[in-house]
């Protein structure tokens, strides 16, 4: 199992920056991929960015060039640096971990952290 704890959300003005952090309960080297998803009011949860155990990254088109996902293997954390924030970035952001064990793929989620961008 993996427990994930997010931090770093808050209220920021449009054009500002926030950095989200996700701490995992075990070595992220044993986790196949980690990522950030978000869910706005009345919307489905959507992918924001992912990073594999090899460091390969993937971003939603809407955040490319503004958000950066990174990992710190020593601290077992995955961060999301968000720059040039827009009101439409407002959502609850969730950390995700994907683990494949004994041929079974398992998804783990954090509790979420609120990001609000004011115009």
């Amino acid at each position: 199992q993996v427990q994930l704890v997010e931090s770093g959300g808050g209220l920021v003005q449009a054009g500002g920056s926030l950095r989200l952090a996700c701490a995992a309960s075990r070595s992220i080297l044993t986790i196949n991929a980690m990522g950030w998803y978000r869910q706005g009011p009345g919307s489905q949860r959507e992918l924001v960015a992912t990073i594999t155990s090899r460091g390969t990254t993937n971003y939603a088109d809407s955040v490319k060039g503004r958000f950066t996902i990174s990992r710190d293997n020593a601290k077992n954390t995955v961060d999301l640096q968000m720059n040039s924030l827009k009101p439409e970035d407002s959502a609850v952001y969730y950390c995700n971990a994907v683990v494949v064990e004994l041929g079974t793929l398992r998804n783990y989620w954090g509790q979420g952290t609120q990001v609000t961008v004011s115009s």
Side-chain angles (χ1 to χ4, degrees):
Q1 284 195 346
V2 183
Q3 282 78 49
L4 303 171
V5 178
E6 301 104 333
S7 60
L11 174 64
V12 65
Q13 288 188 334
S17 299
L18 280 175
R19 188 176 184 91
L20 305 183
C22 174
S25 60
R26 72 188 223 191
S27 171
I28 62 173
L29 292 174
T30 67
I31 299 173
N32 295 79
M34 295 188 69
W36 288 93
Y37 290 70
R38 66 188 182 188
Q39 187 168 15
S43 300
Q44 291 188 335
R45 192 171 297 187
E46 63 176 7
L47 178 147
V48 176
T50 61
I51 186 166
T52 70
S53 57
R54 296 187 177 186
T56 302
T57 58
N58 181 51
Y59 295 92
D61 288 341
S62 60
V63 307
K64 283 181 181 176
R66 300 188 298 122
F67 291 11
T68 302
I69 189 170
S70 61
R71 56 191 292 151
D72 187 327
N73 294 333
K75 296 182 179 179
N76 295 324
T77 57
V78 172
D79 291 356
L80 184 69
Q81 177 66 43
M82 305 185 294
N83 298 328
S84 302
L85 283 161
K86 305 175 182 180
E88 51 264 43
D89 293 319
S90 296
V92 178
Y93 283 69
Y94 296 91
C95 182
N96 169 261
V98 177
V99 179
V100 179
E101 294 177 325
L102 300 177
T104 300
L105 188 150
R106 301 182 189 278
N107 270 289
Y108 298 92
W109 296 92
Q111 79 287 354
T113 185
Q114 179 70 48
V115 171
T116 303
V117 184
S118 62
S119 57

